[in-house]
């Protein structure tokens, strides 16, 4: 998110940032280990998110021999997700009446939970599968000509609808990048509040897209009909990594674990779902069944475990998968609850979702099964 001015004058650094540096590190590290210990590592993996997700994505696409297993959350498509982050800012700032205060995001979120929490049969303030939630922000719209702390004005309702819809070309109506899902509303402040747009997106537009260090979004708003082509010029595409053909990685026994938070706002989860589906369609369902899994994590935000109901040891799960060659059909996350006890919940391979059996404690994974949504 810092100074990206190197993109104007040093194209080799763009390549380093995109994929080369992330490849050279494990190659050199393995060589050092082999020289010191007499042999390289018996198991190597990477767990990447956001910026490091690009490194992990390139490992399975460009350098299938770098790791035995790869885990990715916060899947990245940098030349497009910057449009998503700027879209959220524009939706709430180009029209002053559209601005939404942090307090109103809480009101919006509470309304979503009130309507959709019941869909998973567990009233815990968490949406197990936000894709099932069909929430219309007009349901909390203020009376005509009024405003209030517990409702949204008409311009604010329009802004919320735009954010849910995701960045879209206004001429072709083609989606540029998916929007955040119901249940994630409180985290929207990360791209809609503050003194300026999210710094990563603003810097990328300045140095990679427009190649003009004087550019700013106030004087020159992003054009969602024409500027995608400027972002997707060949020299910029090296910072993306969405090739679904990972057949070479899979053929040598590599395992790919995608674990994505339903509440990720920085890079909404539909990107991971779309990539997973494209991988399955490209390498075939049989190969994918053995070597690729996607687990959606309720309430989880971007990277880490923030917001999630629990966590699991990603490295240990990958090691078990590689050692046994048996793909995970259920991953148990564990977390603390207010009374000092422990909650366990299952994560299910997408598109299955964890379903409460109807008896026993909702804090015990044994009382959930994995089923089609």
């Amino acid at each position: 998110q810092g100074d990206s001015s190197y993109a104007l004058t040093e194209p080799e650094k763009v390549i380093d940032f995109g994929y080369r540096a992330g490849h050279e590190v494990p190659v050199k590290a393995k060589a050092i280990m082999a020289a010191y210990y007499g042999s390289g590592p018996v198991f190597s993996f990477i767990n990447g998110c956001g910026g490091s997700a690009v490194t992990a994505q390139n490992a399975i696409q460009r350098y299938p021999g770098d790791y035995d297993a790869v885990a990715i959350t916060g899947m990245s498509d940098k030349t497009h997700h910057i449009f998503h982050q700027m879209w959220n800012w524009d939706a709430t700032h180009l029209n002053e009446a559209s601005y939404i205060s942090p307090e109103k995001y809480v009101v919006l979120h509470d309304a979503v939970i009130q309507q959709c929490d019941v869909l998973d049969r567990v009233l815990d303030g968490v949406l197990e599968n936000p894709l099932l939630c069909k929430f219309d922000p007009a349901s909390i719209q203020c009376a005509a000509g009024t405003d209030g702390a517990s409702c949204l004005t008409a311009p604010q309702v329009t802004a919320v609808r735009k954010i849910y819809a995701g960045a879209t070309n206004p001429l072709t109506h083609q989606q540029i990048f998916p929007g955040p899902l119901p249940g994630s509303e409180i985290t929207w402040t990360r791209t809609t509040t503050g003194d300026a747009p999210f710094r990563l997106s603003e810097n990328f537009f300045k140095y990679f897209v427009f190649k003009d260090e004087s550019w700013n979004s106030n004087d020159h708003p992003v054009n969602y009909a024409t500027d995608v082509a400027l972002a997707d010029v060949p020299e910029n595409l090296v910072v993306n990594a969405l090739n679904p053909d990972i057949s070479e990685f899979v053929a040598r026994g590599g395992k790919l674990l995608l674990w994505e938070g339903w509440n990720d706002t920085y890079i909404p989860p539909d990107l991971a779902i779309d990539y997973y589906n494209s991988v399955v369609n490209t390498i075939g369902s049989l190969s994918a069944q053995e070597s690729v899994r996607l687990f959606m994590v309720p309430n989880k935000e971007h990277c880490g475990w923030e917001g999630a109901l629990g966590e699991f040891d990603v490295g240990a799960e990958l090691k078990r998968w590689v050692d046994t060659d048996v793909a995970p059909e259920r991953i148990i996350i564990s977390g603390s609850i207010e009374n000092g006890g422990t909650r366990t919940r299952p994560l299910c391979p997408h598109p299955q979702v964890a379903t409460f059996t109807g008896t026993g404690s909702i804090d015990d994974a044994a009382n959930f099964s994995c089923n089609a949504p």
Side-chain angles (χ1 to χ4, degrees):
Q1 299 179 28
D3 184 6
S4 300
S5 59
Y6 63 86
L8 296 177
T9 58
E10 300 180 81
E12 291 300 310
K13 285 189 176 182
V14 175
I15 296 174
D16 286 338
F17 173 67
Y19 60 85
R20 187 163 52 201
H23 167 62
E24 291 295 330
V25 169
V27 170
K28 296 297 191 296
K30 289 178 182 180
I32 292 170
M33 293 173 68
Y36 187 83
Y37 294 105
S39 63
V42 296
F43 171 68
S44 59
F45 78 97
I46 182 173
N47 180 21
C49 179
S52 61
V54 179
T55 300
Q57 289 164 223
N58 274 306
I60 58 175
Q61 297 166 25
R62 292 177 181 267
Y63 307 110
D66 278 1
Y67 299 101
D68 301 300
V70 171
I72 303 172
T73 184
M75 194 84 180
S76 184
D77 175 12
K78 197 169 295 295
T79 64
H80 285 190
H81 81 235
I82 55 151
F83 284 91
H84 151 71
Q85 293 165 353
M86 188 64 72
W87 175 271
N88 291 359
W89 177 266
D90 286 348
T92 54
H93 285 78
L94 290 184
N95 176 358
E96 185 176 346
S98 298
Y99 178 76
I100 302 172
S101 68
E103 294 76 17
K104 284 205 175 186
Y105 285 118
V106 176
V107 172
L108 173 62
H109 176 74
D110 289 346
V112 170
I113 296 302
Q114 183 176 0
Q115 176 180 313
C116 295
D117 193 15
V118 68
L119 296 176
D120 57 22
R121 299 191 297 174
V122 178
L123 299 179
D124 58 357
V126 174
L127 305 186
E128 184 68 35
N129 182 7
L131 296 177
L132 299 178
C133 180
K134 309 303 179 185
F135 176 79
D136 184 355
S139 63
I140 57 170
Q141 185 169 325
C142 306
T146 67
D147 192 1
S150 60
C151 62
L152 300 177
T153 64
Q156 290 170 339
V157 167
T158 298
V160 169
R161 285 175 172 162
K162 284 183 179 179
I163 292 173
Y164 279 136
T168 304
N169 184 315
L171 299 181
T172 65
H173 304 293
Q174 181 178 2
Q175 189 175 69
I176 301 168
F177 204 82
L181 295 178
S184 65
E185 296 78 16
I186 293 177
T187 67
W188 293 5
T189 57
R190 296 171 180 177
T191 55
T192 62
T193 59
D195 297 329
F198 187 54
R199 190 175 179 187
L200 184 150
S201 61
E202 191 165 55
N203 274 356
F204 198 94
F205 277 112
K206 179 181 293 187
Y207 297 114
F208 283 81
V209 179
F210 301 117
K211 305 183 189 308
D212 178 3
E213 59 185 357
S214 67
W215 177 88
N216 67 80
S217 58
N218 289 328
D219 296 334
H220 303 284
V222 170
N223 186 319
Y224 296 92
T226 60
D227 291 344
V228 176
L230 297 179
D232 283 343
V233 293
E235 62 265 29
N236 289 345
L237 292 179
V238 298
V239 302
N240 290 347
L242 292 178
N243 182 2
D245 186 359
I246 62 170
S247 53
E248 190 174 346
F249 174 74
V250 168
R252 61 174 296 277
K255 309 302 181 187
L256 171 61
L257 174 63
L258 299 169
W259 58 292
E260 199 67 53
W262 279 125
N263 283 10
D264 195 337
T265 293
Y266 288 129
I267 306 177
D270 276 349
L271 179 64
I273 295 173
D274 290 345
Y275 182 73
Y276 170 78
N277 288 334
S278 66
V279 167
V280 173
N281 292 334
T282 300
I283 70 174
S285 58
L286 182 59
S287 292
Q289 181 68 20
E290 296 174 350
S291 304
V292 183
R293 285 291 186 278
L294 167 62
F295 288 87
M296 303 305 298
V297 186
N299 228 49
K300 178 186 176 301
E301 299 171 17
H302 184 69
C303 298
W305 293 102
E306 188 176 3
L309 296 180
E311 58 187 75
F312 68 96
D313 188 329
V314 179
E317 191 63 46
L318 289 175
K319 183 67 164 57
R320 184 205 60 77
W321 190 358
V322 169
D323 287 348
T324 65
D325 204 30
V326 176
E329 294 299 337
R330 179 178 167 110
I331 294 177
I332 304 301
I333 58 174
S334 178
S336 300
I337 52 180
E338 291 181 359
N339 64 8
T342 299
R343 173 199 292 117
T344 59
R345 287 282 181 89
L347 301 180
C348 302
H350 181 78
Q352 296 181 45
V353 296
T355 306
F356 182 50
T357 60
T359 59
S361 171
I362 64 171
D363 294 324
D364 187 347
N367 299 322
F368 291 79
S369 59
C370 291
N371 299 288

